Amino acid sequence: MTPKTTKTIYWTGTALTSLWFGASGFCEITVNKFVWDITLKLGYPPHFIYVLGVAKLLGIAVLLMPGKLLRLKEWVFAGVYFDIIFAFASKVSVLGLASTVDAIIAFIMVTVTYTMFRKVYPATYFKPANYAMN
């Protein structure tokens, strides 16, 4: 895969992830009836829904900054995975397996995006200058 293809897939995935979680975050902080009804039905308290919405919007802002805050982007991806996993588990236990299609699609989409992120921005690990081996 060429670097150009990798970047294209990464930025397409980042855009789709941003749209998906940005819309969700916006609906959560603006008390969209549909989103709130489902989230409350899953057993989450109202104050948590606001916090989740704000966190999603802040995370999207970080994801959309090209070439910056790479360590923080790692944390955003982790947060997105936690959101997807908890949504999946909550929906399975309360609404049934058929209601988890969106979580499965989101998981696949974010996994491809994260994989391309690691190819575009490979992690570099180094020993600090004062590191002493025993």
Side-chain angles (χ1 to χ4, degrees):
M1 182 177 309
T2 66
K4 183 178 180 180
T5 304
T6 303
K7 281 186 179 187
T8 302
I9 295 170
Y10 166 66
W11 281 110
T12 301
T14 299
L16 292 173
T17 300
S18 298
L19 286 171
W20 187 307
F21 287 90
S24 173
F26 179 78
C27 288
E28 289 161 351
I29 65 171
T30 60
V31 194
N32 176 280
K33 183 170 175 35
F34 180 75
V35 172
W36 270 65
D37 286 350
I38 290 173
T39 310
L40 291 172
K41 188 175 185 177
L42 294 175
Y44 294 100
H47 67 275
F48 178 76
I49 302 171
Y50 283 115
V51 171
L52 189 59
V54 169
K56 285 179 183 180
L57 294 177
L58 290 173
I60 296 312
V62 170
L63 284 182
L64 291 174
M65 290 184 194
K68 297 185 182 196
L69 304 172
L70 300 179
R71 180 72 51 102
L72 191 53
K73 283 184 187 189
E74 289 278 349
W75 284 88
V76 170
F77 277 112
V80 168
Y81 276 114
F82 282 123
D83 180 73
I84 294 168
I85 290 165
F86 286 120
F88 179 86
S90 299
K91 286 180 176 186
V92 164
S93 32
V94 176
L95 304 174
L97 189 60
S99 67
T100 63
V101 172
D102 61 335
I104 294 168
I105 292 169
F107 185 83
I108 293 167
M109 176 183 68
V110 173
T111 299
V112 170
T113 304
Y114 179 73
T115 302
M116 295 302 111
F117 169 73
R118 286 287 32 130
K119 288 183 181 217
V120 172
Y121 303 107
T124 55
Y125 301 98
F126 61 92
K127 294 178 185 175
N130 60 355
Y131 181 80
M133 294 189 60
N134 291 335

